[in-house]
Structure formats: C-alpha cells, structure tokens
Amino acid sequence: WTSVASLAPDLFLWTGDAVYSHADRPSDRGSVEVLRSELSLVRRDESLGYTAFARGVRVDGTWDDHDYGRNDAGADMGQKRERRGLYLDFLGEGLYKPLRREGLYKPLRVGRAKIVLLDTRSFREPYYVPSIGGVHWIPHASVLAAAVCYVSAGVLGLGRNHSAAVLGEEQWRWLTDELAKDDADATVVVSSVQVLSDNPFVEGWGHFPQERRRTLRTLNGTRGLVILSGDVHFAEIAGRGRALEVTSSGLTHSCTEAFYGFLAKVIIERYDTHRTREDMYFAGKIFGSIEFDWERMNMTVSVHDTEGKKVLGMVRKMGVSTVIDIDYLNMIP
C-alpha cells in the first residue's frame, strides 16, 4: 500500500477480489457472515496497510466472484442484497446513493474522463458447461474448473455461439444510455473479468461470445476507450487498433505462486493473440495506474510491481474515437 500511495492517486478503484473467503469449514466459504468478517478486517485492521491508505484517497470500485461470495459465481448467488450492502460498506458508506436497482454498476467522473463500473456477477448466466469452481466439496475445484473450460471451449469448441448473458438487460440499457451521452474525452470501462482474452483456461467474456460481440459493438466509436480488468493473477495488455484492455491482478496473489505455477507461464505464453505484443504480460504481484495529461490529451496506462516499478505500460490518445476490429474478435476461439 505504500507503493500505491507513493503515486498520490486521486482515485483508487477496486476491480474485484478484494478478499478471498476462508473458513474452517469449506461449506462456510463465501457466506454472508464470513464475508462481513473479512471485508471488515481489510478495512479496519491497521496492520494490513489499507486502512491508512484509504483515509487519504477517494475509493470506489466493483466486485468479482470472491468478494461476491463464491468462485465463478453468477446470478444464482443467494442473498445478493446483503452481499451488496457489505461491499458498499467496505468501499465507504455514502459513496453510493440508495439504488432501487440490483447490482454494483455505476458511472464516475474524473475530470473529462468517464469511468464505467460494470457488474459481471449479479446477472451473469451459466457457462455453456457450468463451472464447478465453487463446489466446496471438490478438492482443487478452481483448477478443475479451469481444466474443464480448456477442454470444453479450447479443445472441443463447445459454446462458440453461447448466448447467455453477462450484464442482464437492465444493466445493458443503463450502459447504452451512459455511452450515448458522449460527454467525455476518455472512457474507462471496468470489467472484473477479461474482455478481449482468448485464453480458454480463465473466466472471461470470451466464454459468452454473443454478449462480448454485443458489448464491443456498443463500445465501438467511444472516444479514448480503455478497458480495465482483473481476476487472473497476472498482468497483460491486450488490444487491436485503438481498443485497449489492461489487466492488473493482483496485489497479494500471483498465478506463479500456486502449486500449478510452473504451468502458468506456459499457458500465458500459449494464448497471446489478443495481446498488443506477445511479451506484454507480467506474472507477478502488481497494481495498475492511469495518468491523464489533459494538455497533451494523452493517458498513460501502467502496471507496477509491489515496489512501484513500472513493468508494463501504454500511452493512448484521448478524444479519438475507438475503432474495434470486430471481425478479428469473431475469430478468437
């Protein structure tokens, strides 16, 4: 947190997985009671460093599966209203006005930049082959879920026309209305899971191809578009043309540290067609930043290691309409 604070940010965004649920009984993981305890611990335990950091900076964000409640969870998650209340408390009371709608999606403004926080959990329908990642009685369920994703989507090609929803119709209408306002020189879209990735091992919009095409067509033409994502425990920069996605995940976990870590780099390097260059990734503990230069109309998107050193980065022009190669994206498996 000292390294993050050294950048003196005007805004800090959680892009999901602020906590990982632990409990003595596997069946209790992700329960409302456990989430309340763990979110409160991160926010209030001075020894963790976040408490002091959050006092001096504006904090906002959205959730992903682990702070939502269960690995790979979607619309079927129970007690969503209670879970949302806990996460809003974690972000800081008063940040959100009372919302009649469900979910955790909203717009923010930073100067002439618009930030669009999406909720990819509350309304997301099942995968073509439903995930077993959240089944508590299966040992190493998350690893087996990744293997199932790879075999079903990457090898057998199942679900290439899967039409299940990620955002849900209400959130879709809201997103369309926000983008139609066209009142920003830069638009930062925050999706907790990756949008452009072609890696079948991980969660992401690629497993929901019709929803992804619909989203990218909606984003096409947006000025100064950058997509921010997390979830995968490594960093990479993806994009074609003027579309750009920066994945930063995460501060406490790296995919190379798990028992399957020796395979992680192999998998990352195998699936590289979505990246701006094949070497635009970093498998370590990291955080991201965006710096807006309003005089030159540039935004610098960076990924830093835990010491604050910049390990990846791109400079993008603001005020320029984004052109997304939809035909290329249609070819991604």
Side-chain angles (χ1 to χ4, degrees), residues 5-305:
S6 70
L7 299 181
D10 296 311
L11 171 68
F12 177 81
L13 291 176
W14 287 102
T15 57
D17 292 342
V19 297
Y20 279 75
S21 180
H22 296 86
D24 293 334
R25 294 190 305 172
S27 60
D28 289 338
R29 293 173 189 165
S31 69
V32 169
E33 292 73 21
V34 170
L35 280 176
R36 177 181 290 108
S37 174
E38 296 191 344
L39 288 168
S40 177
L41 180 69
V42 173
R43 189 178 177 202
R44 295 181 171 85
D45 188 336
E46 296 279 354
S47 67
L48 298 178
Y50 175 71
T51 304
F53 168 78
R55 288 195 193 104
V57 66
R58 178 185 175 193
V59 176
D60 216 309
T62 189
W63 56 15
D64 198 33
D65 50 351
H66 292 281
D67 39 21
Y68 177 55
R70 186 180 70 242
N71 190 42
D72 296 358
D76 61 333
M77 195 73 203
Q79 297 178 287
K80 284 189 280 190
R81 182 178 296 274
E82 292 85 352
R83 295 173 187 279
R84 184 179 75 161
L86 292 177
Y87 200 70
L88 294 178
D89 286 345
F90 169 72
L91 292 174
E93 294 181 14
L95 276 175
Y96 284 62
K97 295 179 182 178
L99 298 177
R100 298 177 187 175
R101 63 177 183 241
E102 296 181 3
L104 270 178
Y105 56 93
K106 63 177 287 191
L108 300 171
R109 293 302 295 249
V110 177
R112 299 197 300 275
K114 176 188 292 184
I115 298 173
V116 178
L117 298 171
L118 299 180
D119 182 343
T120 65
R121 292 295 168 183
S122 297
F123 314 98
R124 200 217 69 209
E125 295 174 349
Y127 286 83
Y128 187 82
V129 176
S131 174
I132 61 171
V135 181
H136 64 82
W137 50 264
I138 298 179
H140 306 300
S142 60
V143 178
L144 291 175
V148 170
C149 278
Y150 166 68
V151 172
S152 61
V155 177
L156 300 178
L158 302 178
R160 287 181 182 270
N161 293 307
H162 192 36
S163 61
V166 175
L167 299 183
E169 285 305 315
E170 184 178 354
Q171 188 174 185
W172 258 112
R173 287 191 294 271
W174 167 83
L175 175 61
T176 302
D177 290 344
E178 281 297 323
L179 296 175
K181 294 174 183 176
D182 195 29
D183 57 350
D185 290 319
T187 300
V188 179
V189 175
V190 180
S191 167
S192 66
V193 295
Q194 291 183 304
V195 177
L196 302 180
S197 176
D198 68 341
N199 186 340
F201 279 92
V202 299
E203 284 203 277
W205 290 70
H207 294 286
F208 300 85
Q210 292 192 26
E211 186 91 331
R212 178 166 71 170
R213 284 192 287 270
R214 181 185 183 187
T215 301
L216 293 174
R217 288 191 177 104
T218 301
L219 293 173
N220 206 18
T222 303
R223 291 201 300 271
L225 174 67
V226 173
I227 301 170
L228 302 183
S229 57
D231 179 61
V232 292
H233 301 187
F234 64 91
E236 64 179 347
I237 299 180
R240 287 294 186 273
R242 292 178 184 156
L244 181 73
E245 178 178 0
V246 179
T247 300
S248 176
S249 169
L251 276 166
T252 60
H253 291 68
S254 167
C255 62
T256 57
E257 295 177 339
F259 71 89
Y260 53 82
F262 68 99
L263 288 174
K265 188 174 181 180
V266 175
I267 293 170
I268 294 169
E269 293 182 349
R270 165 65 179 81
Y271 295 98
D272 63 359
T273 57
H274 56 281
R275 290 200 284 271
T276 52
R277 291 200 320 260
E278 62 181 21
D279 62 343
M280 291 294 274
Y281 76 91
F282 181 80
K285 297 175 183 178
I286 34 75
F287 64 94
S289 69
I290 299 181
E291 182 178 356
F292 299 101
D293 185 337
W294 301 112
E295 291 186 7
R296 295 181 175 85
M297 289 297 286
N298 289 332
M299 54 179 163
T300 303
V301 188
S302 306
V303 176
H304 309 261
D305 65 16

